[in-house]
Amino acid sequence: MSDPAKPTSLADRITRPDLDASSASFTPTASSAQGKSTSWADEVASPVGGPPPLNQTSSSLIAAQVDGQVEALGGSPLHDSREPEVQVTLSQIQRTLGDPLYSVGSFEDLGISPQILKGIFSMNFKKPSKIQEKALPLLLNDPPSNMIAQSQSGTGKTAAFVITVLSRLDYSKPNQPQALCLAPSRELARQIEGVVKSIGQFVDGLTIQAAVPGTVERGAKVNAMVVIGTPGTVMDLIKRRQFDATQMKVLCLDEADNMLDQQGLGDQCLRVKQMMPSVNQILLFSATFPEGVMRYAQQFSPNANEIKLKRDELTVAGIQQMYMDCPSDEGKYDILARLYGLMTVGSSIIFVKKRSTADRIADRLLKDGHQVASVHGAFEGGERDAILAKFRLGECKVLITTNVLARGIDVQSVSMVINYDIPMKGRTEMDPDSETYLHRIGRTGRFGRVGVSISFVFDRKSYMALQEIAQHYQIDLVRLDVEEWDVTEATIKNIIKSSRAGNNLKA
Ligand SMILES: Nc1ncnc2c1ncn2[C@@H]1O[C@H](COP(=O)(O)OP(=O)(O)OP(=O)(O)O)[C@@H](O)[C@H]1O
C-alpha cells in the first residue's frame, strides 16, 4: 500500500523497533525498513518531514534503557544531562532589586532551616533537580516574589513549592492559616499534603490540614498553618467563615494552567485569591503553560519571575512513546486484554475518555480473570482515596481512569501508561489535547525512571490527532505492530525491565 521510498505517513516517519533478543538491542527489520504496513498510518498523508534514519530511532531506544538505570540504593536518577535547561526570566522588580540568580548545587546552600533540611534528606533527596536548583533561590529570596514555573512532569516541582511554604511560616501562630496550596483533584491535594508532612516532619509546631470534599465538617474551623485543598471546597470554607484567610502569606496553584484555564476552577481560584488580602507570594506551577493561559497566569501572579521550557523539551526522555494501530474502536479491547500481562510487570494506568468506558473495560477485564480497578469522578471521595491507596501500595497493579488522574499523581512504580482514547479538547472534541497527553504519559518515567506509553489509534480522526500531538512536541512515536505480537511484547518488556531494575536498586 505504501511506497517505501516516499515518506508520507507517521508510520513512515517513525520506525518500528524490532528486538534482536540475542543482543538485547533494537534493530529494524526488513519489513519495517521497507515500509510494510496496513495501518491507518499509511493511509493518511503526513504534512511534514521524512523518516529519521532507522538506526537513529533504534539507538535512541537503547540509550533510553541505559539512561533508565538509576544509581544504587537511593541515588537520585535525575541528575544528568537529560534534564533540559530551564529558561529563567526575572521580573522587573527582581531586576531592580539586583540579580540573586544563582543555581544551588546542594540543598544545604539554600540557607533553609535544619529541620526542613532533615525532612528533605529523610526523603532520600540528595541533590536538587534542575527546577529546584533554579527556582528555590528565587522562591526563598526576600522580599517574597511571585513565580510562574514550568518543568517536565516528575521533576520535583512539589518539593520546590513545599520547601518555600515551610520557609515562610510564622511558627508562633500554629492555628492561623498562612499558606494555601490548591490542586485540581482531591487525590493530588492529598498527595501534596503527604509531601508537606514528609518534608515538614521534623519542624516543631507545624500544623497541616486538608480541605477537600468531606474533610472539614460544617461549622468546624480550619486552624492549621498550611492548608492543602481543592478550589471549590476552600472557597466555600472561606465564605462560610470556617477558614480565616486574612493572614495568608503564600498561595500556590499546582497544575496552575489547568485550573486557570477552566471556567469553574479558574473563577474559584480567583475568588479565593481575592479573599486573601495579605498574600505576598503567588506561585504557579505546571509542566505545561499554553500561550493563552500564560497571559492569564501573568495577571493572576503579577510581576512573577518565570521559569520556562521550550516546547520541544517538554517530553521526558525516559518515556518511550509508542502507538498501536487497532482494528476498530471495539477492537481496542482485545489489544488491551493481550497487553494485560505486560501491564502487570510494573504498575499501569489506562486513560479513557468516559467514565462509562472505564467501568465497561474494568468489568470485562475482571470477567476475563484480570485484576484491575477503575476510579473516576463518579466514585465517592472515600472510595477514590481507598482505590488510589491500593494502587500506590501495589495491591492493585492496573488502574483504569479518566482525566481526573491525568495530572500530578506520583506513583513511582508506574511503568506503563495506555491512552485507550486519545485525549481531545472540550465538548466538541475537534482538537487533540496535547497538554493532557503530556500529563497522562508523565504518570510514568518519574524523576528519571524509564516508562512506556502506548496510545491506541483506530481511525483517521484518532490517528491524525496523535500525529498532531507528535508534531506539537516534535517527537517520533514508535509504532508497535499488532500483527507481530512477539516483537511488540519483547520491545515493551525490555524497556519496562530496565526501569524495574532501577527501581529494585532504589528500594
Ligand atoms: N531532589 C530530589 N531527589 C530525588 N527525588 C526527588 C527530588 N525531588 C523530587 N523527587 C521525587 O520525584 C518524584 C516526582 O516529583 P513531583 O511529584 O514533585 O513531580 P512534578 O514535577 O510535580 O510532576 P508533575 O508535573 O507530574 O506533577 C517524587 O516521587 C519526588 O519524591
Side-chain angles (χ1 to χ4, degrees):
M1 190 161 49
S2 66
D3 174 358
K6 198 174 65 170
T8 53
S9 70
L10 187 63
D12 288 332
R13 291 200 305 115
I14 56 187
T15 50
R16 191 201 65 196
D18 290 349
L19 184 74
D20 173 353
S22 59
S23 63
S25 66
F26 296 99
T27 47
T29 60
S31 65
S32 67
Q34 286 161 13
K36 181 198 116 190
S37 177
T38 52
S39 74
W40 266 101
D42 299 303
E43 292 164 32
V44 185
S46 164
V48 292
L54 294 176
N55 56 2
Q56 184 183 318
T57 305
S58 52
S59 68
S60 73
L61 278 168
I62 296 164
Q65 290 170 42
V66 176
D67 288 348
Q69 309 286 338
V70 297
E71 293 164 48
L73 291 172
S76 297
L78 192 68
H79 299 300
D80 59 28
S81 55
R82 280 170 308 141
E83 236 194 318
E85 266 308 322
V86 287
Q87 297 169 347
V88 183
T89 312
L90 293 181
S91 68
Q92 190 68 37
I93 298 174
Q94 191 65 65
R95 269 179 267 153
T96 54
L97 282 172
D99 188 354
L101 188 59
Y102 58 95
S103 183
V104 287
S106 74
F107 287 112
E108 288 95 328
D109 292 346
L110 288 166
I112 47 183
S113 79
Q115 291 83 5
I116 299 176
L117 262 186
K118 200 170 166 193
I120 294 171
F121 293 135
S122 77
M123 293 181 80
N124 229 342
F125 295 0
K126 298 212 163 27
K127 269 175 65 179
S129 63
K130 203 136 273 173
I131 181 69
Q132 291 164 355
E133 67 180 30
K134 296 278 190 207
L136 279 165
L138 286 167
L139 288 166
L140 298 170
N141 200 36
D142 276 319
S145 52
N146 292 345
M147 175 166 281
I148 300 174
Q150 178 185 32
S151 93
Q152 294 174 316
S153 54
T155 51
K157 293 185 284 295
T158 318
F161 65 75
V162 168
I163 293 169
T164 309
V165 161
L166 294 177
S167 303
R168 295 286 180 204
L169 301 173
D170 177 349
Y171 287 91
S172 69
K173 297 179 179 171
N175 299 326
Q176 180 63 52
Q178 300 170 47
L180 173 68
C181 302
L182 290 176
S185 69
R186 66 178 289 121
E187 286 80 4
L188 185 51
R190 283 290 199 193
Q191 182 178 293
I192 297 168
E193 181 194 5
V195 177
V196 181
K197 280 186 176 155
S198 297
I199 298 185
Q201 62 185 297
F202 302 106
V203 179
D204 282 340
L206 173 65
T207 49
I208 305 162
Q209 192 166 352
V212 298
T215 51
V216 187
E217 280 177 22
R218 238 190 146 80
K221 286 271 184 220
V222 173
N223 54 9
M225 303 156 102
V226 184
V227 183
I228 306 102
T230 44
T233 303
V234 169
M235 191 184 75
D236 290 346
L237 289 167
I238 300 176
K239 276 206 221 150
R240 284 198 236 112
R241 298 181 188 278
Q242 288 175 256
F243 182 154
D244 170 16
T246 55
Q247 294 185 47
M248 200 59 74
K249 300 168 184 222
V250 190
L251 171 62
C252 177
L253 267 56
D254 197 11
E255 310 301 340
D257 62 320
N258 178 243
M259 297 215 277
L260 297 177
D261 195 27
Q262 290 184 44
Q263 182 109 49
L265 280 180
D267 289 348
Q268 288 163 356
C269 290
L270 191 61
R271 299 278 293 280
V272 166
K273 182 185 140 180
Q274 287 163 346
M275 292 188 278
M276 298 181 169
S278 60
V279 160
N280 60 7
Q281 190 164 30
I282 300 172
L283 313 176
L284 307 183
F285 278 78
S286 183
T288 49
F289 277 103
E291 270 163 41
V293 187
M294 193 58 168
R295 280 190 289 279
Y296 185 48
Q298 285 161 340
Q299 286 171 19
F300 193 92
S301 175
N303 299 313
N305 295 309
E306 292 181 10
I307 296 187
K308 275 192 242 162
L309 282 172
K310 289 198 198 113
R311 201 199 263 182
D312 61 358
E313 289 180 333
L314 282 175
T315 53
V316 175
I319 306 172
Q320 283 300 325
Q321 299 176 60
M322 312 188 174
Y323 78 101
M324 278 183 153
D325 232 329
C326 303
S328 64
D329 198 8
E330 206 35 46
K332 290 193 289 191
Y333 176 81
D334 295 327
I335 308 269
L336 190 73
R338 287 192 82 167
L339 279 172
Y340 180 82
L342 295 171
M343 290 193 280
T344 52
V345 175
S347 294
S348 301
I349 305 182
I350 301 164
F351 285 105
V352 299
K353 185 176 86 181
K354 293 184 192 159
R355 296 170 179 183
S356 57
T357 313
D359 291 340
R360 187 168 45 83
I361 295 175
D363 281 352
R364 272 183 84 174
L365 284 168
L366 283 168
K367 276 197 195 112
D368 289 347
H370 302 308
Q371 280 301 317
V372 298
S374 75
V375 67
H376 49 67
F379 283 61
E380 183 267 314
E383 215 177 338
R384 277 166 67 165
D385 291 346
I387 294 169
L388 194 60
K390 272 191 163 184
F391 185 65
R392 283 188 195 282
L393 290 169
E395 287 170 18
C396 151
K397 294 272 193 111
V398 180
L399 193 66
I400 308 173
T401 188
T402 57
N403 283 341
V404 72
L405 292 191
R407 284 175 174 253
I409 298 303
D410 179 55
V411 180
Q412 298 188 349
S413 55
V414 173
S415 54
M416 193 190 298
V417 167
I418 294 179
N419 281 316
Y420 192 83
D421 298 314
I422 303 294
M424 304 296 286
K425 274 187 186 144
R427 286 189 187 279
T428 55
E429 305 231 315
M430 293 308 288
D431 297 313
D433 187 343
S434 304
E435 281 75 37
T436 298
Y437 173 87
L438 197 88
H439 288 276
R440 280 182 177 184
I441 67 164
R443 294 319 96 213
T444 185
R446 309 291 292 166
F447 213 77
R449 287 170 183 78
V450 166
V452 175
S453 76
I454 305 177
S455 299
F456 286 1
V457 297
F458 71 97
D459 64 356
R460 182 187 166 87
K461 185 178 171 189
S462 55
Y463 176 77
M464 289 303 288
L466 186 62
Q467 188 188 33
E468 216 176 288
I469 292 169
Q471 279 168 8
H472 182 83
Y473 296 119
Q474 295 176 30
I475 44 169
D476 288 321
L477 293 168
V478 172
R479 176 168 174 252
L480 293 169
D481 199 331
V482 290
E483 312 260 306
E484 293 191 49
W485 198 254
D486 290 349
V487 176
T488 292
E489 210 170 280
T491 303
I492 299 170
K493 248 190 198 150
N494 206 329
I495 297 169
I496 296 177
K497 253 200 302 191
S498 67
S499 87
R500 281 179 75 226
N503 285 334
N504 289 344
L505 282 174
K506 262 207 118 204

